[in-house]
Amino acid sequence: MTYKTDQRNILLEFLQENPDKMFSEKQIEEILSSKGISRSALYRNLQALEMNGKIKRCTKTGSREIYFQYVGLQDCKSHIHLSCTKCGKIFHMESEIANSIKNNVALSQGFSINLGETTIYGTCKTCLN
């Protein structure tokens, strides 16, 4: 049984407004502290949203902390994500390039890449300048 609560709606709305960023549980808790979301409700709702495919759990290079990103848009499920290790922004790789990588890996390695679950870490063009 799934319960829709005000706390889950506040959390989901926040994540939907920031689809190009990843947030740790601690960051979300601090940002939404004034909204009355308890720590246990936050953890419970993050887990429920992940199970429902609305957010994904990931880690950043050099960190053991777990981060969450909104991926409820269908667009996110069909793209490789590019994550800037300097500014933290997340971008969608162009579909043609992602499909070319997927097809080349499938042909050469016999391995099927799940595009929506794949993140490549590097530095974005804004941070390079």
Short mmCIF file of all heavy atoms in Angstrom, two decimals, residues 8-9 12 25 31 35 37 41 43-44 47 56 58 60-61 64 69 74-75 77 89 98 104 106-107 110 115 124 129:
data_model
loop_
_atom_site.label_atom_id
_atom_site.label_comp_id
_atom_site.label_asym_id
_atom_site.label_seq_id
_atom_site.Cartn_x
_atom_site.Cartn_y
_atom_site.Cartn_z
N ARG A 8 5.90 13.70 1.75
CA ARG A 8 6.40 13.12 0.50
C ARG A 8 6.22 14.10 -0.64
O ARG A 8 7.09 14.25 -1.50
CB ARG A 8 5.70 11.80 0.17
CG ARG A 8 6.29 11.16 -1.10
CD ARG A 8 5.76 9.79 -1.38
NE ARG A 8 6.10 8.93 -0.25
CZ ARG A 8 5.57 7.74 -0.05
NH1 ARG A 8 4.69 7.25 -0.90
NH2 ARG A 8 5.91 7.01 0.97
N ASN A 9 5.09 14.79 -0.66
CA ASN A 9 4.84 15.76 -1.72
C ASN A 9 5.84 16.91 -1.67
O ASN A 9 6.32 17.37 -2.71
CB ASN A 9 3.41 16.30 -1.64
CG ASN A 9 2.39 15.24 -2.01
OD1 ASN A 9 2.69 14.28 -2.72
ND2 ASN A 9 1.18 15.39 -1.51
N LEU A 12 9.19 15.46 -2.93
CA LEU A 12 9.14 15.22 -4.37
C LEU A 12 9.16 16.54 -5.14
O LEU A 12 9.88 16.68 -6.13
CB LEU A 12 7.90 14.41 -4.73
CG LEU A 12 7.76 13.98 -6.19
CD1 LEU A 12 8.98 13.18 -6.64
CD2 LEU A 12 6.49 13.17 -6.38
N GLU A 25 21.29 12.87 1.82
CA GLU A 25 20.18 12.90 2.79
C GLU A 25 20.34 14.09 3.73
O GLU A 25 19.37 14.78 4.05
CB GLU A 25 20.15 11.60 3.59
CG GLU A 25 19.77 10.40 2.75
CD GLU A 25 20.01 9.08 3.45
OE1 GLU A 25 20.80 9.02 4.42
OE2 GLU A 25 19.39 8.09 3.02
N ILE A 31 17.95 21.51 3.95
CA ILE A 31 17.19 22.40 3.08
C ILE A 31 15.71 22.40 3.43
O ILE A 31 15.06 23.45 3.41
CB ILE A 31 17.41 22.01 1.60
CG1 ILE A 31 18.86 22.30 1.19
CG2 ILE A 31 16.44 22.74 0.68
CD1 ILE A 31 19.28 21.68 -0.13
N LYS A 35 10.29 22.88 6.66
CA LYS A 35 9.03 22.37 6.12
C LYS A 35 8.38 21.32 7.02
O LYS A 35 7.34 20.78 6.68
CB LYS A 35 9.25 21.77 4.72
CG LYS A 35 9.90 22.68 3.74
CD LYS A 35 8.92 23.66 3.16
CE LYS A 35 9.60 24.47 2.07
NZ LYS A 35 8.73 25.42 1.45
N ILE A 37 9.58 18.23 7.93
CA ILE A 37 9.78 16.83 7.56
C ILE A 37 10.72 16.19 8.58
O ILE A 37 11.85 16.63 8.75
CB ILE A 37 10.36 16.70 6.14
CG1 ILE A 37 9.39 17.30 5.12
CG2 ILE A 37 10.65 15.24 5.81
CD1 ILE A 37 9.89 17.29 3.71
N ALA A 41 10.72 10.31 8.39
CA ALA A 41 9.85 10.47 7.22
C ALA A 41 10.69 10.71 5.97
O ALA A 41 10.36 10.20 4.89
CB ALA A 41 8.87 11.61 7.43
N TYR A 43 13.80 9.59 5.34
CA TYR A 43 14.39 8.32 4.92
C TYR A 43 13.34 7.40 4.31
O TYR A 43 13.58 6.76 3.29
CB TYR A 43 15.10 7.63 6.08
CG TYR A 43 16.27 8.42 6.62
CD1 TYR A 43 16.48 8.55 7.98
CD2 TYR A 43 17.17 9.06 5.78
CE1 TYR A 43 17.56 9.28 8.50
CE2 TYR A 43 18.24 9.79 6.27
CZ TYR A 43 18.43 9.89 7.62
OH TYR A 43 19.50 10.61 8.10
N ARG A 44 12.20 7.32 4.94
CA ARG A 44 11.12 6.46 4.46
C ARG A 44 10.66 6.91 3.07
O ARG A 44 10.45 6.09 2.16
CB ARG A 44 9.96 6.50 5.46
CG ARG A 44 8.85 5.54 5.19
CD ARG A 44 7.82 5.50 6.31
NE ARG A 44 7.27 6.80 6.66
CZ ARG A 44 7.56 7.48 7.78
NH1 ARG A 44 8.38 6.99 8.68
NH2 ARG A 44 7.02 8.66 8.02
N GLN A 47 13.24 6.26 0.27
CA GLN A 47 13.19 4.84 -0.10
C GLN A 47 11.98 4.56 -1.00
O GLN A 47 12.09 3.87 -2.01
CB GLN A 47 13.14 3.97 1.15
CG GLN A 47 13.16 2.50 0.86
CD GLN A 47 13.13 1.67 2.13
OE1 GLN A 47 12.59 2.07 3.15
NE2 GLN A 47 13.72 0.50 2.07
N LYS A 56 16.91 8.32 -8.15
CA LYS A 56 17.92 7.27 -8.17
C LYS A 56 18.97 7.60 -7.12
O LYS A 56 19.23 8.75 -6.80
CB LYS A 56 18.53 7.08 -9.54
CG LYS A 56 19.53 8.10 -9.96
CD LYS A 56 20.17 7.68 -11.27
CE LYS A 56 21.30 8.61 -11.62
NZ LYS A 56 22.09 8.14 -12.73
N CYS A 58 22.88 7.34 -5.92
CA CYS A 58 24.20 7.25 -6.52
C CYS A 58 25.26 7.77 -5.55
O CYS A 58 24.93 8.26 -4.48
CB CYS A 58 24.25 8.02 -7.84
SG CYS A 58 23.44 9.62 -7.80
N LYS A 60 29.22 9.88 -5.36
CA LYS A 60 30.14 10.75 -6.09
C LYS A 60 31.55 10.22 -5.90
O LYS A 60 31.87 9.66 -4.86
CB LYS A 60 30.05 12.18 -5.57
CG LYS A 60 28.76 12.89 -5.92
CD LYS A 60 28.82 14.34 -5.47
CE LYS A 60 27.56 15.09 -5.85
NZ LYS A 60 27.63 16.48 -5.43
N THR A 61 32.37 10.44 -6.89
CA THR A 61 33.75 10.01 -6.83
C THR A 61 34.42 10.59 -5.58
O THR A 61 34.30 11.78 -5.31
CB THR A 61 34.51 10.46 -8.09
OG1 THR A 61 33.83 9.97 -9.23
CG2 THR A 61 35.93 9.95 -8.09
N ARG A 64 31.85 8.57 0.22
CA ARG A 64 31.06 7.39 0.59
C ARG A 64 29.59 7.75 0.81
O ARG A 64 28.77 6.88 1.04
CB ARG A 64 31.62 6.78 1.88
CG ARG A 64 32.97 6.17 1.67
CD ARG A 64 33.45 5.54 2.93
NE ARG A 64 34.74 4.91 2.71
CZ ARG A 64 35.31 4.11 3.56
NH1 ARG A 64 34.73 3.85 4.70
NH2 ARG A 64 36.47 3.58 3.29
N GLN A 69 18.92 11.79 -6.83
CA GLN A 69 18.60 12.68 -7.94
C GLN A 69 17.23 12.31 -8.48
O GLN A 69 16.89 11.13 -8.62
CB GLN A 69 19.63 12.54 -9.06
CG GLN A 69 19.31 13.42 -10.25
CD GLN A 69 20.08 13.02 -11.49
OE1 GLN A 69 20.79 12.02 -11.50
NE2 GLN A 69 19.92 13.78 -12.55
N GLN A 74 10.55 10.87 -18.04
CA GLN A 74 10.87 9.78 -18.97
C GLN A 74 12.19 10.05 -19.66
O GLN A 74 12.96 9.14 -19.95
CB GLN A 74 9.74 9.60 -19.99
CG GLN A 74 9.92 8.39 -20.88
CD GLN A 74 10.03 7.08 -20.11
OE1 GLN A 74 9.36 6.87 -19.11
NE2 GLN A 74 10.89 6.19 -20.57
N ASP A 75 12.48 11.31 -19.90
CA ASP A 75 13.71 11.73 -20.55
C ASP A 75 14.94 11.19 -19.83
O ASP A 75 15.93 10.82 -20.45
CB ASP A 75 13.75 13.26 -20.57
CG ASP A 75 14.41 13.80 -21.81
OD1 ASP A 75 14.44 13.09 -22.81
OD2 ASP A 75 14.91 14.93 -21.75
N LYS A 77 15.33 8.47 -18.19
CA LYS A 77 15.47 7.02 -18.25
C LYS A 77 16.08 6.55 -19.57
O LYS A 77 16.43 5.40 -19.71
CB LYS A 77 14.12 6.36 -18.01
CG LYS A 77 13.62 6.66 -16.60
CD LYS A 77 12.27 6.08 -16.34
CE LYS A 77 11.91 6.48 -14.92
NZ LYS A 77 10.68 6.26 -14.46
N LYS A 89 26.49 19.78 -11.14
CA LYS A 89 25.37 19.72 -12.08
C LYS A 89 25.40 18.42 -12.87
O LYS A 89 26.45 17.83 -13.10
CB LYS A 89 25.41 20.91 -13.03
CG LYS A 89 24.95 22.18 -12.39
CD LYS A 89 24.47 23.14 -13.43
CE LYS A 89 23.81 24.30 -12.71
NZ LYS A 89 23.09 25.16 -13.61
N ALA A 98 24.97 8.73 -26.86
CA ALA A 98 24.68 7.67 -25.89
C ALA A 98 24.34 6.36 -26.60
O ALA A 98 24.83 5.29 -26.21
CB ALA A 98 23.54 8.08 -24.97
N ASN A 104 28.18 0.30 -29.47
CA ASN A 104 29.58 -0.13 -29.58
C ASN A 104 29.95 -1.07 -28.44
O ASN A 104 30.66 -2.07 -28.67
CB ASN A 104 30.52 1.08 -29.58
CG ASN A 104 30.52 1.80 -30.91
OD1 ASN A 104 30.27 1.21 -31.95
ND2 ASN A 104 30.78 3.10 -30.88
N ALA A 106 27.87 -2.99 -26.79
CA ALA A 106 27.14 -4.24 -27.02
C ALA A 106 27.87 -5.10 -28.06
O ALA A 106 28.01 -6.32 -27.87
CB ALA A 106 25.71 -3.94 -27.47
N LEU A 107 28.33 -4.49 -29.14
CA LEU A 107 29.02 -5.24 -30.20
C LEU A 107 30.40 -5.73 -29.76
O LEU A 107 30.75 -6.88 -30.00
CB LEU A 107 29.17 -4.37 -31.45
CG LEU A 107 27.90 -4.13 -32.25
CD1 LEU A 107 28.16 -3.09 -33.35
CD2 LEU A 107 27.40 -5.43 -32.86
N GLY A 110 29.73 -7.45 -25.73
CA GLY A 110 28.60 -8.32 -25.44
C GLY A 110 27.90 -7.91 -24.15
O GLY A 110 27.43 -8.75 -23.38
N LEU A 115 20.99 2.82 -20.02
CA LEU A 115 21.27 4.24 -20.18
C LEU A 115 20.85 5.07 -18.97
O LEU A 115 21.61 5.90 -18.48
CB LEU A 115 20.61 4.79 -21.44
CG LEU A 115 21.10 4.23 -22.77
CD1 LEU A 115 20.33 4.85 -23.92
CD2 LEU A 115 22.58 4.42 -22.95
N CYS A 124 32.38 19.81 -16.45
CA CYS A 124 31.55 20.45 -17.48
C CYS A 124 32.30 21.61 -18.14
O CYS A 124 33.30 22.11 -17.60
CB CYS A 124 30.21 20.92 -16.90
SG CYS A 124 30.32 22.37 -15.81
N ASN A 129 36.32 26.42 -17.99
CA ASN A 129 36.73 27.79 -18.39
C ASN A 129 37.16 28.61 -17.23
O ASN A 129 36.90 28.55 -16.15
CB ASN A 129 35.61 28.50 -19.13
CG ASN A 129 35.30 27.80 -20.45
OD1 ASN A 129 36.18 27.27 -21.09
ND2 ASN A 129 34.06 27.81 -20.85
#
